Amino acid sequence: MRDLKKHVIHPLILRITHWLNAAAIVMMIGSGWEIYNASPLFGFHFPRIITIGQWLGAAIAWHLAMMWLLVANGLVYVVWSVASGHWRKLLPPGPKTIWRDIRAALGFRLKHEKGVYNAVQKLLYTGVLLAGVVIVLSGLAIWKPVQLWPLCNLFGGYFAARYVHFFAMGAIALFLVIHVVLVAMVPKVLPPMVTGGKL
Amino acid sequence: MNRRDILLRAMALGVSTGLEGCNYDDPNHPDLADKFLHAMSSWNDRVQAALFSPHTLAPTFKASQITMPPRFNAFYDISQAPVVDQSSYRLALGGQITDKTPWSLSQLQALPQEGQITRLICVEGWRVIGQWAGVPLGQFLRRVGADTRCRYVSFQCADGYYSSIDMESALHPQTLLALQFLGQPLTPAFGAPVRLRIPTKLGFKNPKSLTQLAVTNVYPGGYWEDQGYNWFSGS
């Protein structure tokens, strides 16, 4: 097992949690948009064709069902990441490296090394993980503003927590777009996320 | 078929099952997704019961924070709000209650009253702050000899609405049989003559214009709950 692990780009547990997370995120955002539509925070609705659950009751049912997958799967990832030392790969490099990699990425010159996260990846992944923590905590605050009132107060109360939850969704949705575009630009990185790949 | 194909097919199946069952629109003919959602909703009921603390109070607000004008909300237009004759009004009692003598409005008004300025959060996401006063439900249940070991308290309304809550939430000190709103007797639009006010649950768990209250161990459901809203719906 140890030997095998050294030769794959993405360990099995990372691949499983990645795809479960992808499914959970899509379901959470889609149902969240339908819930948003019941009482919009801004002057727009999400078109029903891209929401999940065709009425508020179904959307809430999906949202409060899939949240368990999102959180349980996220916890498995965090525990594995800490225990295996994987989290070290996400540690941001110095500002010089960051600047160099961002410029290279914008010029479509950033090299993709197997099994190593470049600075742009490190920043994106760390950022989306933080957004994930914020969206779960603000979601709990909205779900239980009375029982979990200290958490709700942390976000400035129920009203403010809804905005925090919305903008965290915006950050994750933006990440998703960038993530998918980057994969489309370097398509060879997709198969290893399914098969594990070879280093 | 390699592993990638299997995974992609599994994902496609997951997506199609999800979309097909996204309606949750026919409770009498549940499909696979509906059954999954129903099981998760029951699990969420249990989690919320465990999270519920009888000692945690809903936040209270200052009179200056009360939402004006108050917001009407029901499954019908404000013009259709039921007008109940106050002089002949009786609150019927049912189920596991020793003294089932119906209560008139003046009898309810003669009981010790408590007031609160609390926030009502709608399942849709909006919230309003209002002032309610009335008889604490826990005190009322004990007065009429309700078996408080039962699991549910159910409510029937003059407009055909119905709902139910867990006994622990019914006994919470902020749960009221409200007779007043904003310092005045309730108006038809806001639940005259008697409504449930329970700031530890979402708005739709605050049924208006109550006609019957019952204590039972048989799951009573509710107007929205039977269509798919989570039953416990605690705040």
Side-chain angles (χ1 to χ4, degrees), chain A residues 12 15 19 22-23 27 35-40 51-69 140 142-149 152 157-160 162 190-191 193-196, chain B residues 3-5 7 11 17-19 21-25 33 36-37 40-41 43-44 47-48 51-54 56-59 71 119 121-127 172 174 199-200 224 227-230 232-235:
Chain A
L12 182 62
R15 283 176 273 148
W19 290 111
M27 295 299 287
I35 296 169
Y36 166 98
N37 283 349
S39 181
T51 67
I52 289 171
Q54 286 166 15
W55 68 289
L56 180 60
I60 293 175
W62 278 113
H63 208 70
L64 299 186
M66 299 311 280
M67 71 176 182
W68 293 103
L69 175 61
L140 286 172
I142 294 168
W143 189 42
K144 292 284 155 273
V146 174
Q147 302 306 330
L148 304 180
W149 62 268
C152 196
Y158 172 81
F159 188 71
R162 279 193 74 202
L190 182 57
M193 191 44 93
V194 179
T195 62
Chain B
R3 275 196 289 175
R4 188 181 169 193
D5 283 338
L7 193 80
M11 281 172 64
T17 325
L19 291 177
C22 277
N23 296 328
Y24 211 27
D25 59 356
F36 165 72
L37 293 179
M40 289 308 291
S41 192
W43 158 251
N44 278 328
V47 171
Q48 291 175 94
L51 262 179
F52 177 83
S53 160
T56 301
L57 296 180
R71 179 170 177 167
R119 180 180 56 195
I121 296 177
C122 180
V123 67
E124 293 175 345
W126 51 267
R127 52 83 172 103
H172 187 274
Q174 288 174 314
T200 51
W224 287 115
Q227 297 177 57
Y229 280 170
N230 172 258
F232 195 97
S233 283
S235 266

Side-chain angles (χ1 to χ4, degrees), chain B residues 49-95:
Chain B
L51 262 179
F52 177 83
S53 160
H55 309 295
T56 301
L57 296 180
T60 55
F61 299 84
K62 292 184 283 229
S64 60
Q65 292 173 288
I66 292 172
T67 307
M68 291 305 261
R71 179 170 177 167
F72 168 80
N73 193 61
F75 60 96
Y76 44 73
D77 184 75
I78 190 165
S79 62
Q80 254 122 28
V83 180
V84 179
D85 177 43
Q86 311 227 334
S87 56
S88 64
Y89 174 80
R90 295 288 183 278
L91 176 66
L93 302 183

